Amino acid sequence: MLFLAASQYHLWSKLSSGSVFAPEFPRPIVILFNWAFGAILLLAALQILVDIGGLVVALVRRAPPGVSDNVRYVIAVVAALLSGIAVANALRVPPVKDLEIGVRGLSPQFDGYRVLQLTDLHISRLFPASWARQVVDRANGLGADLIVVTGDFIDGSVAMRRADVEPLRDLRAPDGVYGVPGNHEYFFGYQEWMRHLAGLGIRMLPNAHAPLARGEARLVLAGVTDLSAPRHGEAGPDLDAALAGAPAGAPVLLLDHQPKNANLAARRGVSLQLSGHTHGGMIAGLDRALGPPNNGFVTGRYEVGDMTLYVSNGTALWPGFALRLGRPPELARITLRVAP
């Protein structure tokens, strides 16, 4: 009966706040729901695998199929343990992931320029102010020249999350903190969130750009809105508008929450695109299921024509399915290099 109740986690979440994306329970309850929901899904997957294995063995031996109860009990324990590990992995403050990316046309004055990417923070009852404070402190200590947030800052309205997002006000980098909206911002009052995030000192780039300078050299930082925006009556991603008036010949670093349109960005001459949204697939192997709806871009680095796409595993997760196995969270510290 307890597992049956846990299987309806998203229904209870909707009843608690009006949205399946914002479970408004005490944090320990949200953690327990995620553990139980994960255990159910993992148990189902493992049972199916065992049943398939039992059928194969039965066919080979030409005997009636059968799996002992003891095996099923062991699988139940394994599923519960794996779910606990997965939730713990999801909740930790992300480690730093360092990578270097060559950028064609990059001025030597920008060689070694460090960009710290945060994405999919999903600040919520599961990832509250105390967690956000630790992330901000770690981010500020990484020596980045620029901090960018590629969407899905929150789960909840401004009224619900005002205190939890307050630590973001303290993000600091010499060239500033920039962001673009993700699909979740549109679920909870897009315009209000855009104003509130800007009030926290985060410069939002909805179909806009900002030139970065090192002496006479320029690097264009551009951003677009999320693909889901038109469904909520807001302007969809418009790369032409984002690049209007940008310095000619300067390489473009594009922030786009979803990686799906990377081919379009590459054709428009973008040098580097940073995205999130997929959470890296959350569980190793699940990336294959998430590949088709994201045009094959789920986790890590991709070469798309002359453009490099980096899809971060994310800083956190949607609190309705907060499990990670083999796909750890990350703070991506990207060092730009002059491409040969």
Side-chain angles (χ1 to χ4, degrees):
M1 292 298 293
L2 287 172
F3 274 105
L4 179 61
S7 72
Q8 300 305 303
Y9 172 37
H10 300 109
L11 171 62
W12 311 136
S13 295
K14 187 172 184 178
L15 292 176
S16 74
S17 68
S19 171
V20 297
F21 298 104
E24 290 301 295
F25 308 113
R27 189 172 190 250
I29 300 299
V30 179
I31 292 172
L32 283 173
F33 262 126
N34 273 281
W35 167 77
F37 192 73
I40 292 168
L41 295 181
L42 290 169
L43 178 58
L46 290 173
Q47 293 283 17
I48 290 169
L49 288 175
V50 166
D51 285 340
I52 292 173
L55 287 171
V56 171
V57 170
L59 288 171
V60 171
R61 293 182 176 178
R62 296 183 180 180
V67 177
S68 73
D69 288 346
N70 287 337
V71 169
R72 298 200 185 278
Y73 291 135
V74 168
I75 289 172
V77 172
V78 169
L81 289 174
L82 283 176
S83 185
I85 293 169
V87 172
N89 286 339
L91 295 181
R92 65 178 174 146
V93 176
V96 180
K97 181 176 180 179
D98 277 307
L99 62 155
E100 291 190 352
I101 295 179
V103 176
R104 291 178 177 84
L106 187 72
S107 168
Q109 291 170 281
F110 276 101
D111 191 61
Y113 191 84
R114 290 167 296 184
V115 180
L116 182 67
Q117 181 193 10
L118 312 181
T119 190
D120 300 277
L121 291 159
H122 290 284
I123 292 173
S124 58
R125 285 293 182 96
L126 188 59
F127 299 100
S130 57
W131 178 88
R133 169 57 57 193
Q134 294 179 72
V135 169
V136 167
D137 290 345
R138 181 166 292 183
N140 286 344
L142 294 178
D145 297 293
L146 173 74
I147 295 176
V148 299
V149 187
T150 49
D152 280 4
F153 288 79
I154 48 81
D155 277 303
S157 65
V158 172
M160 293 157 64
R161 298 281 86 85
R162 188 181 300 275
D164 291 319
V165 300
E166 187 61 25
L168 299 184
R169 188 185 300 277
D170 295 328
L171 280 171
R172 293 287 184 272
D175 284 345
V177 182
Y178 291 81
V180 292
N183 54 310
H184 282 230
E185 274 72 66
Y186 295 89
F187 299 153
F188 297 102
Y190 168 76
Q191 294 293 346
E192 188 178 7
W193 267 118
M194 293 293 282
R195 290 191 295 270
H196 192 75
L197 292 169
L200 294 176
I202 301 169
R203 183 173 172 184
M204 303 300 288
L205 295 174
N207 297 330
H209 75 270
L212 305 172
R214 285 289 184 271
E216 297 299 316
R218 294 291 183 271
L219 174 65
V220 174
L221 178 66
V224 292
T225 55
D226 189 72
L227 280 167
S228 64
R231 296 200 297 271
H232 300 274
E234 302 290 347
D238 187 338
L239 188 53
D240 289 334
L243 296 178
V252 176
L253 192 168
L254 176 66
L255 310 181
D256 188 348
H257 177 64
Q258 298 193 41
K260 188 174 183 178
N261 280 345
N263 289 300
L264 174 62
R267 290 194 296 271
R268 286 286 287 107
V270 171
S271 301
L272 171 62
Q273 177 176 322
L274 302 181
S275 297
H277 182 63
T278 63
H279 305 153
M282 297 169 287
I283 297 173
L286 192 58
D287 53 323
R288 296 186 179 183
L290 293 179
N294 291 286
N295 281 339
F297 307 123
V298 179
T299 179
R301 180 174 177 163
Y302 302 87
E303 299 303 323
V304 186
D306 291 332
M307 183 188 82
T308 298
L309 165 68
Y310 185 73
V311 184
S312 171
N313 285 351
T315 312
L317 285 169
W318 168 47
F321 190 70
L323 292 91
R324 286 190 182 274
L325 287 172
R327 291 291 182 267
E330 63 184 49
L331 297 174
R333 183 167 54 184
I334 300 163
T335 302
L336 304 185
R337 295 296 183 190
V338 176

